[in-house]
Amino acid sequence: MPAALGKWSVWLLSFALGIFLAPFTVAQTAVSQAVDVPRVLKGVETRYNGAQTLQVDFTYTYAFRNRKSAEKGTLFLRKPGKMRWQYAEPVGKLFVSDGNVIWSFDPQEQRAEKEKFKETDDMRAPLAFLLGRLDFQKDFGQYRASPQGADAFITALPKSDKMPYTEVSFLVAPDSTIRRLIVKGQDNSIMDFAFEGEKRNPPVPEETFRFTPPKGVEVVDLTN
């Protein structure tokens, strides 16, 4: 993922789940009235806040001007704040955290980086708290909502034009799973997460969130 995107990390997940704690205003349009926004958000809140572990396949795409990149794999989450991004494309790539430190490993570069979780600006980090709660009220003020087939598509608009994005959207299925997250930047870039095959409370052992660099790779310790 482009390094510059990391600065969006906190806001990305603040939208995704902090929304459940904040008062909201739905834009009064004909399509928004077709979606029961409070019911949809309550369903998502109940689903994720009641989970201890989560497993879901992801596809991430980033588009900016004439450039486009894509990655895919499986995301494992465990309360509190533990995660493992296990990539199928690029093969062997890992992004792992035990809630205290983050390991990022790229087998193509033969390089592993270690940094403190609280100090990272990587956009993947806040998704470790997908099973928790965040305060959304300070950043977003208005919502648009519309049906998309059987799903509900909700877009949040920031209160301030100083944010690095102009809008953030998410798609919720009838069973309250989050199928998609989309972030549109001030520079017209688009970050798009698509999720599928979600498993709620699967057995995910603790060792899933540990990482030992393979012998012979370059190790960069940024925790000091």
Side-chain angles (χ1 to χ4, degrees), residues 28-110:
Q28 294 303 310
T29 65
V31 291
S32 69
Q33 293 174 0
V35 175
D36 187 342
V37 176
R39 182 189 62 79
V40 172
L41 300 184
K42 179 61 177 177
V44 178
E45 178 186 24
T46 299
R47 179 176 182 83
Y48 291 101
N49 288 339
Q52 296 298 315
T53 62
L54 194 75
Q55 178 180 334
V56 63
D57 295 329
F58 70 87
T59 299
Y60 166 76
T61 59
Y62 172 73
F64 179 62
R65 295 179 180 173
N66 295 324
R67 292 181 296 149
K68 189 172 184 179
S69 61
E71 298 177 336
K72 62 175 56 179
T74 302
L75 171 62
F76 301 88
L77 299 173
R78 184 185 181 96
K79 282 183 178 177
K82 298 177 181 180
M83 64 178 176
R84 181 185 182 94
W85 296 75
Q86 186 166 297
Y87 290 79
E89 297 178 13
V91 177
K93 183 176 179 179
L94 288 172
F95 189 78
V96 182
S97 177
D98 61 3
N100 297 309
V101 299
I102 290 176
W103 281 99
S104 179
F105 174 61
D106 189 333
Q108 294 183 348
E109 297 182 359
Q110 286 294 287

Side-chain angles (χ1 to χ4, degrees), residues 5 17 51 58 73 78 81 101 104 121 123 148 153 156 158 168 173 182 185 206 219:
L5 297 186
L17 293 173
F58 70 87
R78 184 185 181 96
V101 299
S104 179
D121 63 1
M123 66 178 298
Q148 194 169 103
F153 189 78
V168 188
I182 307 169
E206 284 290 337
V219 176

Side-chain angles (χ1 to χ4, degrees), residues 39-40 43-44 150-152 170-180:
R39 182 189 62 79
V40 172
V44 178
D151 300 337
F170 73 114
L171 184 68
V172 181
D175 63 356
S176 299
T177 59
I178 297 175
R179 289 185 169 175
R180 194 174 179 190

